[in-house]
Amino acid sequence: MDQAEQLRNIVKKNQQSTQKARVFTVTSGKGGVGKSNVVVNLAVQMQKQGKKVIIFDADLGLANVEIMFGAIPKYNLSDLIYRGKTIQEIITPGPLDIGFISGGSGITGVNNLSKEQLKFLVSNVAELDALADIVLIDTGAGISDHVLEFVMASPEILLIATSEPSSLTDAYSLLKALHRNPEFQQSQTKIKVISNRVTTEEEGTGIYEKLNAVVGQFLKGNLEYLGMIPQDTAMERAVRQQQPVSILYPEAKSTRAFEILTNNLLEGSTIPLQQKKGIMQLFSRFIYKKS
């Protein structure tokens, strides 16, 4: 049996498990739109609702999540791949016992790993399905190959955008790269827009409508609107204090917005249960490309 066949068998064995984490990949067309801030506050709200959440910081080389949590991880993904640490050893506990995995700086992209490294990674990452109800993947910004690796493989994508023209343009560029990739499976992917740093609800829906209109016209696709996060000085103060606003200022208007977004995510439409593949939904794509 060759290595590619062994990798496929790992995926099949994991997909037979009844426990599947729900996976969201959070992305944006550009940096500076508050993506990682959205990730940590969604995690807080999900944890408050009794869900076990693990954040996978796939923004390799940067440390946005750990900065916002005010925690320094002892190990990261590089330690798992290159130094034999287990998946549980590289999970750093954050506020409310939210776990997060730092990407580290020693990996340039999952597709650049050897078959043996990928096999080891897959075997360990599969354990997250048993350790978490929800896995939030925090990608880097932009449309680099590494970002598209995760976005392409994810069944549920949260796209963060602001009203700035550059944010809208770059968000569309990411969506265009996604839809024009021949391996993108539109029917099996839900893309939900979160409008950030808006002053009114109308501004939030306007961001979504602009993106959805061009996606429908030029890419023959469609987006869903999850909701908006208002511009809030309380959130700015929380960022400076390296704490999620949902913990530091529970009565803030942005905290309330994250509560609503979380309810919309957990109670709204999702892929059918029988189609859920957990965290392996992402990594099976990388495995088959090694065949």
Side-chain angles (χ1 to χ4, degrees):
M1 183 184 300
D2 62 16
Q3 286 183 319
E5 183 64 23
Q6 290 175 350
L7 292 171
R8 283 191 288 269
N9 287 340
I10 292 171
V11 174
K12 290 177 183 177
K13 181 178 178 181
N14 179 265
Q15 290 179 348
Q16 291 170 357
S17 170
T18 56
Q19 172 68 29
K20 306 293 184 194
R22 190 174 175 188
V23 181
F24 298 99
T25 294
V26 187
T27 191
S28 63
K30 67 185 292 291
V33 300
K35 174 176 54 60
S36 296
N37 204 2
V38 171
V39 170
V40 298
N41 280 284
L42 287 178
V44 168
Q45 295 298 338
M46 290 172 176
Q47 198 86 356
K48 285 183 176 180
Q49 293 199 24
K51 303 296 184 182
K52 177 58 182 174
V53 183
I54 293 177
I55 299 173
F56 188 107
D57 191 349
D59 195 353
L60 305 183
L62 297 178
N64 290 335
V65 172
E66 59 201 66
I67 289 173
M68 292 181 181
F69 275 164
I72 301 175
K74 186 175 181 180
Y75 301 114
N76 57 45
L77 196 61
S78 294
D79 293 299
L80 182 138
I81 295 172
Y82 301 117
R83 286 171 281 279
K85 296 299 179 181
T86 67
I87 194 73
Q88 295 195 42
E89 285 178 311
I90 69 167
I91 297 175
T92 301
L96 304 184
D97 201 33
I98 297 167
F100 74 94
I101 297 173
S102 173
S105 58
I107 307 169
T108 57
V110 175
N111 277 339
N112 293 323
L113 297 176
S114 69
K115 288 182 181 179
E116 196 61 37
Q117 289 168 336
L118 187 55
K119 176 183 174 182
F120 183 75
L121 175 62
V122 168
S123 298
N124 280 272
V125 168
E127 296 182 30
L128 293 181
D129 278 328
L131 296 174
D133 300 308
I134 295 171
V135 178
L136 294 171
I137 310 288
D138 184 13
T139 72
I143 55 173
S144 68
D145 289 342
H146 176 68
V147 170
L148 288 176
E149 286 173 8
F150 283 95
V151 177
M152 279 287 299
S154 181
E156 296 187 82
I157 300 166
L158 307 183
L159 177 64
I160 315 302
T162 70
S163 60
E164 294 179 7
S166 60
S167 173
L168 294 171
T169 300
D170 291 343
Y172 175 70
S173 294
L174 184 146
L175 293 168
K176 181 169 66 175
L178 185 64
H179 278 80
R180 293 186 175 176
N181 190 306
E183 298 178 21
F184 175 59
Q185 297 177 309
Q186 182 175 329
S187 63
Q188 298 183 30
T189 307
K190 290 184 177 293
I191 305 175
K192 305 177 183 184
V193 176
I194 297 177
S195 302
N196 195 19
R197 298 173 184 161
V198 301
T199 54
T200 64
E201 291 187 9
E202 291 73 19
E203 183 182 358
T205 55
I207 292 170
Y208 159 73
E209 289 168 354
K210 289 177 183 177
L211 286 172
N212 195 44
V214 293
V215 167
Q217 181 178 355
F218 298 109
L219 304 178
K220 308 305 178 186
N222 70 286
L223 309 173
E224 298 179 16
Y225 183 53
L226 189 65
M228 66 86 177
I229 305 163
Q231 186 75 39
D232 188 6
T233 56
M235 185 152 60
E236 295 171 4
R237 292 196 300 271
V239 170
R240 288 194 294 269
Q241 296 180 62
Q242 294 182 247
Q243 292 191 55
V245 67
S246 294
I247 293 177
L248 193 59
Y249 300 109
E251 303 301 321
K253 58 183 180 180
S254 54
T255 297
R256 177 56 184 155
F258 284 118
E259 292 175 355
I260 294 172
L261 289 172
T262 299
N263 289 335
N264 291 344
L265 273 179
L266 299 183
E267 298 174 6
S269 62
T270 181
I271 55 176
L273 183 62
Q274 64 269 25
Q275 295 181 18
K276 283 180 67 180
K277 297 180 181 178
I279 191 66
M280 296 312 300
Q281 173 73 27
L282 281 98
F283 287 92
S284 61
R285 166 179 159 80
F286 308 138
I287 289 171
Y288 294 135
K289 289 182 72 172
K290 289 290 183 180
S291 301

